[in-house]
Amino acid sequence: MDFIKFPKGFIFGTSTAAYQIEGAWNEANKGQSIWDNFAHTPGKIIKGQTGDIACDHYHRYKEDIALMQGLGTKAYRMSISWPRILPQGKGGINDKGIAFYDRLTDSLLEAGITPWVTLFHWDLPQALQTEMNGFENRDIVNWFADYVQIVVKALGDRVKNWITLNEMQDYALEGYFLAQHAPGKFKPWKYLSVVHNQLLCHGRAVQVIKGLYPDSKVGPALNLLPVDPATGSEKDRESAMLANELFNRITLHPIIKSAYPSALFRQLRMFMPDIRPDDMGLISTPVDFIGINTYTREKAMHKWYIPFLKTWMTGADLADKEFVKDGVQHTAMGWEVYPESIYRAITLVKEEYNNPEIIITENGAAFEDRVEGDHVHDPKRISFLKAYLAQVKKTIDEGAQVKGYFVWTLIDNFEWAVGYEKRFGLVHVDHDTQKRIIKDSGYWYRDLIAAQTS
């Protein structure tokens, strides 16, 4: 079988997030997170499912590392659970939490797998949300910096690759604008402030990490989503421009250009965050790479009744099952399979933001996998990965500095508000028995990696 060849040293890995796989939600002195609270609230998650057990990775991490070895991956993007380290978000340190990540880090390194550690992947300590209003409160910048210092002091002698925060824009959008994710606060007027305070946390985290270990590599993981106009009308083109600023430039601009996108902020001027004189300099503290999470594209159309932005997105309505529309495959999430989306996300960063080093920190797809005994057949996922990776290689050939690619995800996990209904993994998990089975796509990924050195 012929496989695309990537440059020597290109990183192939898999991604996960703590709340989505760890389980052990109230063990070993761990504090409650906003996702523990949100998932335990009736009506928030499909079928009332929670991440209480998830994939039981907390107890089965050695088994999961063996799976990574079986896939041939040499890198693993994981996240740290803030309330496992600081049960109240600040104050007393939980030594048992640090001990778990010590064991996990050492086990990965012993297996020849490089950890890429995300410091915040949405599981904010509930105490900070309840008592301090979480990311609405600018003081969170100091609490986050303290947490980062604790983690980096504990692991920084072995962990050399750090991701500050995951999908800052999406955290604010889903958690405050739509209230479909934790913390579930319908406060659209707080959206920009929540984004801004996360960006400040990002800048402080870069400074803390570099202060402790100057040779570490640090960057954010940003969700980038190309948006096209639904029609050729001038109003739809204007809507697409605003949507691209909302989804993409709202984080890229301040991190790299030390400024917010002007058109978006004109539209949302009534909700401007508290931007102080030194803020943009902090946010734009130099990073070593830009992490990109990308899956699909969307289409924007003008809707006069949508407040302020007058824009509606048409491309990512959740589906009960995967489907084909107008001859185009859609995933079980209802997302269009559009390989050019990853090309366009990379090219945007390359051409508009000075061609920085890029890591694809998430890319993958949920499909209705076919389980037959001890085999899981998922040809559509293989087709998806082939097509998207071909687009990644195309950008490299055109000069983009893409240095790595992490599949979302290693194992079928708790997929936020849709619970266990949507499966992204290279490894199938029976969440009743915790039995793991490497899917056909996992074996395909293994062979792709092996072919790089053949």
Side-chain angles (χ1 to χ4, degrees):
M1 186 183 295
D2 292 331
F3 289 99
I4 300 171
K5 291 294 183 74
F6 284 80
K8 185 178 180 180
F10 190 85
I11 300 161
F12 290 95
T14 55
S15 284
T16 65
Y19 183 76
Q20 294 179 273
I21 66 167
E22 283 183 1
W25 76 281
N26 60 354
E27 292 186 36
N29 301 330
K30 176 186 169 290
Q32 188 176 111
S33 77
I34 58 172
W35 269 97
D36 294 317
N37 182 69
F38 190 76
H40 291 162
T41 303
K44 296 299 185 182
I45 311 296
I46 286 177
K47 296 182 179 179
Q49 295 168 339
T50 73
D52 290 2
I53 299 174
C55 304
D56 198 28
H57 177 76
Y58 184 85
H59 299 109
R60 298 171 184 262
Y61 68 90
K62 290 185 178 180
E63 178 182 355
D64 292 336
I65 290 172
L67 288 169
M68 296 177 216
Q69 289 181 296
L71 297 176
T73 55
K74 301 299 183 185
Y76 174 54
R77 180 188 169 210
M78 52 180 267
S79 78
I80 304 290
S81 168
W82 187 345
R84 203 177 289 285
I85 302 298
L86 292 166
Q88 299 303 308
K90 54 191 179 79
I93 300 171
N94 179 21
D95 292 335
K96 291 181 178 179
I98 291 175
F100 167 68
Y101 293 111
D102 262 328
R103 295 193 300 272
L104 177 56
T105 299
D106 288 342
S107 296
L108 286 165
L109 293 172
E110 288 166 8
I113 299 167
T114 301
W116 287 65
V117 174
T118 305
L119 289 157
F120 180 71
H121 200 130
W122 295 3
D123 48 353
L124 181 73
Q126 182 62 42
L128 292 184
Q129 184 66 47
T130 301
E131 300 166 16
M132 308 291 184
N133 290 323
F135 281 100
E136 295 175 55
N137 188 337
R138 187 185 172 96
D139 289 343
I140 199 168
V141 179
N142 295 323
W143 309 328
F144 187 67
D146 291 343
Y147 155 69
V148 170
Q149 185 170 62
I150 291 164
V151 173
V152 175
K153 281 184 175 179
L155 303 178
D157 58 330
R158 289 152 289 158
V159 174
K160 303 302 178 186
N161 303 284
W162 298 94
I163 295 162
T164 53
L165 292 92
N166 181 77
E167 297 188 355
M168 292 171 265
Q169 180 274 341
D170 207 38
Y171 177 88
L173 181 74
E174 296 284 357
Y176 285 85
F177 207 95
L178 302 175
Q180 294 176 348
H181 283 183
K185 304 292 184 184
F186 183 66
K187 295 181 176 181
W189 59 92
K190 291 290 186 180
Y191 168 76
L192 291 179
S193 293
V194 170
V195 171
H196 186 69
N197 289 338
Q198 287 180 91
L199 285 164
L200 292 171
C201 287
H202 157 77
R204 279 289 296 277
V206 176
Q207 293 181 350
V208 169
I209 296 165
K210 288 294 190 177
L212 291 168
Y213 289 95
D215 294 334
S216 294
K217 293 189 66 174
V218 189
L222 308 179
N223 52 310
L224 301 186
L225 184 71
V227 184
D228 292 327
T231 72
S233 74
E234 182 62 33
K235 287 187 175 181
D236 281 3
R237 287 196 295 270
E238 175 74 13
S239 291
M241 183 275 293
L242 286 171
N244 274 298
E245 292 205 347
L246 178 71
F247 283 101
N248 304 317
R249 294 180 177 87
I250 194 169
T251 48
L252 279 169
H253 245 58
I255 288 173
I256 299 178
K257 294 190 174 184
S258 196
Y260 280 109
S262 57
L264 178 68
F265 266 54
R266 280 197 301 273
Q267 292 292 111
L268 299 178
R269 56 188 175 275
M270 290 180 64
F271 309 117
M272 286 286 286
D274 174 20
I275 302 175
R276 299 179 186 177
D278 295 332
D279 283 3
M280 303 315 294
L282 174 61
I283 291 169
S284 59
T285 300
V287 295
D288 299 295
F289 63 87
I290 295 295
I292 296 178
N293 297 355
T294 190
Y295 295 88
T296 187
R297 67 166 169 177
E298 292 216 36
K299 294 182 180 180
M301 62 174 61
H302 176 81
K303 293 290 185 182
W304 64 267
Y305 53 80
I306 302 294
F308 305 106
L309 291 178
K310 311 296 183 187
T311 295
W312 184 251
M313 313 299 293
T314 65
D317 296 326
L318 284 179
D320 292 329
K321 295 183 180 296
E322 62 184 72
F323 61 92
V324 176
K325 181 179 180 181
D326 298 329
V328 177
Q329 179 70 51
H330 288 63
T331 71
M333 296 292 286
W335 301 344
E336 178 186 3
V337 176
Y338 180 69
E340 290 85 353
S341 64
I342 199 167
Y343 174 88
R344 290 172 58 186
I346 293 168
T347 302
L348 168 70
V349 177
K350 172 195 166 197
E351 294 184 352
E352 294 191 25
Y353 297 96
N354 304 320
N355 197 17
E357 184 172 310
I358 291 170
I359 304 291
I360 302 300
T361 38
E362 289 184 23
N363 178 243
F367 288 110
E368 304 292 324
D369 302 331
R370 193 170 75 255
V371 183
E372 296 180 0
D374 285 334
H375 299 278
V376 180
H377 305 299
D378 58 339
K380 290 176 182 175
R381 185 172 290 105
I382 294 173
S383 178
F384 179 100
L385 294 173
K386 281 183 180 178
Y388 278 70
L389 277 162
Q391 294 292 323
V392 174
K393 180 59 164 55
K394 182 180 176 182
T395 68
I396 295 171
D397 292 342
E398 293 176 357
Q401 297 193 77
V402 186
K403 303 299 183 181
Y405 175 92
F406 289 77
V407 175
W408 185 268
T409 179
L410 172 66
I411 51 181
D412 291 337
N413 60 20
F414 179 86
E415 190 54 42
W416 307 118
V418 294
Y420 299 102
E421 300 297 296
K422 310 300 182 186
R423 294 178 174 271
F424 280 84
L426 296 177
V427 176
H428 181 274
V429 178
D430 182 324
H431 290 103
D432 293 325
T433 66
Q434 294 298 332
K435 181 179 179 180
R436 275 96 156 122
I437 303 173
I438 297 177
K439 302 177 188 179
D440 288 353
S441 60
Y443 290 119
W444 178 86
Y445 196 50
R446 175 200 65 187
D447 293 344
L448 167 73
I449 295 168
Q452 303 305 308
T453 56
S454 64

